[in-house]
Structures are given as structure tokens and as C-alpha cells.
Amino acid sequence: MKTSRLSFLFLIAFFTLISSHVSAEDGYRLWQRYERIEDSALLKNYRQLLQEINIPGSSPVITVIKDELKQAFTGILGSNIPFSDQAVKDGTLLIGTPENLPRNFSLNLKKQTENIGPEGYYIFSGKVNRKNVTIITANTETGLLYGTFHFLRLLQTHQPIRDLSISSSPKIKHRILNHWDNLDRTVERGYSGFSLWDWHKLPGFIDQRYIDYARANASIGINGTVLTNVNANALVLTEDYLLKTKALADAFRPYGLKVYLTARFSAPIEIGQLQTADPLDPKVPEWWKKKVEEIYSHIPDFGGFLVKADSEGQPGPHNYGRSQAEGANMLADALAPKGGIVMWRAFVYSDETPDDRAKQAYNEFKPLDGKFRDNVLVQVKNGAIDFQPREPFHPLFGAMPETPLMMEFQITQEYLGQGTQLVYLSPLFKEVLESDTYAKGLGSTVAKVVDGTLDQHQLTGIAGVSNIGTDRNWTGHHFGQANWYAFGRLAWDHQLTSGEIAKEWLKMTFTNRNDFVEPVTSLMLGSHEAAVNYMTPLGLHHIMGWSHHYGPAPWIKDKHRADWTSVYYHQADEYGIGFDRTKTGSNAVAQYLPPVQEKFGNIESCPEKYLLWFHHVSWDYSMESGRTLWNELCHRYYSGVESVEQMQTTWAGVREMTDPERFRHVESHLRIQKKEAEWWRNACLLYFQSFSKRPVPDKYPKPEKSLEYYMSLDPKFVPGI
Ligand code: BDP
């Protein structure tokens, strides 16, 4: 008796151990975990409506769809659903283009697919020919893939799937990740390990990671990937590397993911033995034409080039006295016959700092409006300086109606807490997209510039600088995944709200439990504002650590170029703080259209979140809250830290609903975030106090250490440089 009882207990312990191991969560599966539904009524309902799958065809894309469904249904419903090409019956899930679906089930679908373009889809469920069916249809197989992922999202988030009639197509054509990955696998501004691309083992070895990366992108509609750093290495355009690139392109193709490369402007010299890279020297365009032909001979659907020129040491047309348009058009002409595009970055500013850095891109590009070829997009960062925690929208949006402008966001959190902080970026993305340029009167939002509706552009694009690396959970911080996810979802439909996106992501990534989703959604929604408060409140910017940009360093000065120092940007003195960009200062504000100019240019109407971006303001200036500027600054820095404490409390409250592995990971990162937030607050307030000469209000705890202490901190080996 005793022995069998003991062995029984042992067995129980053993299985508990095994099952806890099986359910260990390391974040690898992202939002594609396909967890089993526990609610038996819901499960029954889904099973009833999904009894077999009918998908005509066997192409690579169809195979991908089938594999995904198998994996998803086995997970979500606990058992696979059989594929069948027999007569349609109740509970059949039909997936196909109108031409491929069984005849009497495709009749009305032609109409539904008329206006959804090549990537859109239509999902229907209900009675057709007296059968209860679900139909996913689209004009192309890629559309079917996107529709399938939408349908799976409904199941993953426990939505009803009866009586569906969902039509969706992307608002923006090119939805692209920019990897700042080097050929040696380091990642510029990467905080999640090394580059995914194992160039050394390519083309021979196709890592399963490539496939899972492509799946994840397809599930959110990302359809392009620039594999290499904008600070480019010409070697990637040599035959060896093109064969490696081809292997990646082949792996990604069934997922609708196109491959692009960065083109180093001086490549004709570096790998082509030419003496010059001058776009007007006939040998140079000729070289690019041949290079492009070579690329397309390997990769027939190659997407095109992304170019950083004349910026931060990168070569460009300026080296030959040529314009940005002359440079871009040369590459565009080479790519045009093959259908490729050029994404030419507007992040151009001089080494000599002749003018406010915020003004330079506009000054350079605005006069070139209308001078670019039809297959050129000018890729503009969301703000005029550089991916700061908060920036007013870039004045080029709304200023170049003849040129398609592509949005560039930074998903990797170079200036927003890097790999250690939870900062949900959707509110930042939305704030920029919803900003009104007034280019064509009220309602001319940045989103409408980017999606082409404001100026009737067909060629449209949006780019996000990737935060993905070899870390097991892809993004270092588990919540970094949410930023990749949110970028993709907004690229598809910028009208989604940050809350909707957060909820979807949380449900699929963690759990559908309301008592988890609700509090953690608010945690996420407040996290960007919190970071702005403890880093750069009220329009402050670029006061972070020298070169690595980690932690606070508002004291940085006397470097070889003024616009890489902090004092250049905050301009603190005994009178006050802030960069005067009005008429009395650099007048950068004049680059906006009049209604925006007036709003930002007037200290009374300038939104306080941008106050110190545009104005040099007295320490005693009276703020909306009734506090003086100095006291408001103190208030913001302290409330930023308090918000992080609140985030910690919220997270502690969901322990029971989270798996221990990810719970602890996030918990410890929040602890780091709290320390870093305090570091920011203390360092900045003590430093600015040396100008303001005003006390930190008594109600706040005093910083424990001195300004000298904070100034002496010098973190070494910060990742991502
Ligand atoms: C800056 C980064 C730098 C990038 C540059 C760019 O610090 O590493 O090369 O942006 O976008 O913010 O080109």
C-alpha cells in the first residue's frame, strides 16, 4: 500500500514538473501562441462552426496557410481540423480567391473583392446554399494569408465568429521593417542580441528563426524588410552576399515579405573599381544599372534600395556637388524597369552645424519637391531631430505635395529606455500620425500625407526601425514585442486605437483574462507619457548619454560638433530653459504652415508638451497648472517616477494570471526601469537647478546623491552602438 501510494505521489510530482516545464514561456512564440481555449461553451461553438477546411491549391503560400491553420487549430481547439475538397457542408471553412472557390460558394464574392486591392481580404460567415460556412477570400494568395491571420486573431482573442462580414485592406502600400544590422551581426541601436541574419552560414543554412520571423510579420501585414544598416556596407551588393540575400528572399516570399537592401552611395568606387560615384558621370548610372540587373537575376521580386546619404559621415551626392534628387533619381532609373523603389532618407544634416539642426532636412528637401522620379519615396523621420521621446511632427510632412513621403518610426528604443524599459510606442506613433499639418486646411493629418490620400499618391510607405534580434524572446524586453506588433497593425490601419492594439496583443501574448488585460492595457497606455516625464518633459530633447544615448547627460558640451551636445538643445541659463525656435531664435517654426506656425510659435498657444522645443522660457513662467516652469519641471520628473512605481504595482497585481517566467522577467525589468527613472530625474533636476537656483519643492524626497556623482557616472559597454 505504502509503496504504491509513494509512487503515486512521485508520479504526480513528476507530471507537475513536466507540465510546468512544458508551459514554460520564454516569449519565443510572440503573439502566435495559439493557447487552448478553456471556456467550454466557446470551444464548443468554435468547433461547431469549424469542422473542416477547404482550400484549393498547393502553392507555397497555400502551403503556408495550411501549416499555420494546423498549428493554430491544434493549439486553440485542442485538435486539428481535417482538410477536405469534398462537397461543402455545415461547418466548412473555405479559403480561396473567387476563381478558386467551389463555384456556388464564390458567386457574390466577386463584388466583395472588387475594391480591396491585391492585399486586402474579405471574411464572411453565415448561410450560403443552405450551408453554414466561413469564407476567407481575396484577390491574391497573399490576401488570403492576411485574411487567415485576421481570422485566427479573432479566435485567439475569443471573438464571436458567427455572422462575420469583415473587409479589410491596408491603407499604406509598403509596410517595411528597417534592420540596422551589420554584416558582422552587430546591430546598430539593437538591444536584443545580435542580428537574426547569420550571413556566415547563408545561403546554406536557413534558420527556423527566419521562417518564424516571416510568419510574425505576415500576421500583422508587414510586407517588406530592409536587411541591412542605413550606415551601409557596400559588400552586401557583391555576388557572394547577393546569393545569401537571395536565400532569405526565397524563405520570406511565401509570407508576402519582400527583401530590400541599403545601397552605399560610394559602392561603385568600393566594389566596382570606378574612380567616382558622381551620379552625373555616365559610368556611374551604368554601373548601378548593371548591379540592379544582377540583383534581379537572383531575386526577381527584389524590393529596392534604402539610402542614407550625406549624413553622419555617409557618402552622397553632395560629395560631387549634386542634389539629393540627382542621387535618388540615378538609383530610381536603374530600378524602374524592374519595378523596384528607392527609399531616400531625408535625415540629412551638415557636419558643420551652420544652422539649427531641426531646420536642415526641410531646407534641403522642400525645394526638391516634384523633382524625384515616380519610384522614389522620401523617407522622413517622425520628427525633425532624431526619434526623441517626444517630438512635434516633422515640418516636411505637408510641405512636399508632389513627392510621396514615407514615415520612418523607430521601434527600437534608442532614446526611450533601450532594452530595459517598458515603453509602449503606439501612443507616440498615433500622436504623430494624427498631427494636423494644415497643408490643405483643417484635417490634413500626417497620416493622410503618408497614406497618400491628401495628395493622391499611389506610392505610399511606412518604415519602422526594427527592435528584433537573436534574444530568445526576439526583442529583449517582452513588451518590446508589443511595439513590433503595434507598428505592423498601424501600418495596416492607422485608425486603430492604441488601446485596441494593446488589448489584442496582450490577449494573444499573455491571456484573455479581463482582470489581466484591463490593468495591463492601462499600464501600457501610460508608459510613454511616463518616460517622457522622467526623461525629457515639456519639450526637452537630446539630453541623453554621449554616443550610446543611455541614461541622462544634460551636461554634455564642448564636443567636436555642437549639435551632438546636450547644452545645444536645452540652452539652460539663469533666465530659463528651452530652444528658441521662434522668430527671435532659429525660426524653425516658420517651416510649418501658418496655423501650426502660429500655434507653436506663440508661447501662450504652444502645447506645453512642446514648450521647450520651441521657446526659451523663464524659470518663473506661469504654467497651465499655476506652477512656475521650474516647479512644473520638478512635478513632471517626480510624477514620471511615480508612474513607474504605479506600473510596478499594477504588474505585481497580475502575478497570478501570468506565467512565472515572463512575470519575473518583466518584474525585474520594471525594477531596473524604476532605478533608471530616478537616475534621470535626479541627474536632470540637480543639473538644471544649477541654473534655476530654485529649490525642489519640499514635498518631494531629495535626490540621495550629488550632481557630481551623477556626472561621474560613465556606463561602459552599453549595447547597440
Ligand atoms: C541616430 C542613431 C544613429 C543612426 C541615425 C540614423 O543614433 O545610430 O545611424 O540615427 O537614423 O538616431 O541614420
Side-chain angles (χ1 to χ4, degrees), residues 180 188-189 230-231 308 312 345 347 381 386-387 408 410 414-415 549:
W180 286 359
E188 183 154 341
R189 312 311 178 181
V230 285
N231 295 320
K308 172 177 180 176
E312 302 182 336
R345 294 177 93 219
F347 185 64
K381 288 191 181 184
D386 201 351
F387 299 136
E408 180 175 325
Q410 193 180 46
E414 175 180 0
Y415 300 95
H549 302 152

